Amino acid sequence: MGLAIEQAQQAEEEGEVPVGAIFVENKEVIASAGNASIQLNDPTAHAEIRVLRQAANKKKNYRIGGTLYVKLAHDADLYVTLEPCLMCMGSLIHARVETLIFGAYDQKLGAVTSVFNFSNSPHQNHRINFTGGVLEEECQNLLKDFFKEKRK
């Protein structure tokens, strides 16, 4: 999570909402990114989406965690500083991410457990194991401080 926090801090330095993500496969970081929606004029440029794109390009497969029939990676894990939104959670499911580890819970848009329970929906053909609240206070403070400064 420390590396995801570094990505969030870098995003903040670039004027973005401080959210960072890394994708780890077999204990090796293969992709990392922070939010870049403002810089790229792209509402989909969330940290999670950017990491999934990098990992898919690197692996030459959009199913970065595997397919319905074949597991492509052991420990295909995504770490992110904020609970993913609906768009990101849907993308994680399509990418077949095995495990999601996130920092701060998002009480407004969280799609893992906070607002929506997309992680365990009976309507999905892939379930994502998750752990929330990892370095939660540090991840929350990044966001709180950012928005406090923006309101000045």
Side-chain angles (χ1 to χ4, degrees), residues 13-128:
E13 289 170 12
E14 296 168 2
E16 298 285 344
V17 175
V19 177
I22 62 167
F23 183 76
V24 176
E25 181 179 279
N26 302 322
K27 300 183 184 351
E28 180 185 342
V29 176
I30 66 166
S32 60
N35 274 357
S37 294
I38 297 166
Q39 290 177 63
L40 299 176
N41 297 310
D42 179 357
T44 70
H46 291 193
E48 302 94 307
I49 300 298
R50 295 182 68 219
V51 160
L52 291 176
R53 287 177 179 154
Q54 287 177 29
N57 283 331
K58 194 173 263 188
K59 292 175 65 86
K60 306 283 188 247
N61 192 330
Y62 75 105
R63 300 280 198 209
I64 60 177
T67 68
L68 289 174
Y69 310 106
V70 178
K71 188 172 182 177
L72 295 177
H74 299 289
D75 301 324
D77 304 332
L78 191 131
Y79 292 76
V80 63
T81 57
L82 179 64
E83 180 180 2
C85 68
L86 279 169
M87 173 186 68
C88 292
M89 206 48 199
S91 297
L92 295 174
I93 290 166
H94 284 291
R96 302 293 189 263
V97 169
E98 188 174 319
T99 304
L100 167 67
I101 300 96
F102 65 88
Y105 287 85
D106 187 342
Q107 300 303 319
K108 293 183 180 181
L109 296 171
V112 180
T113 62
S114 295
V115 179
F116 305 100
N117 189 346
F118 229 45
S119 62
N120 202 17
S121 170
H123 305 290
Q124 304 301 323
N125 60 1
H126 177 71
R127 305 283 185 281
I128 296 177

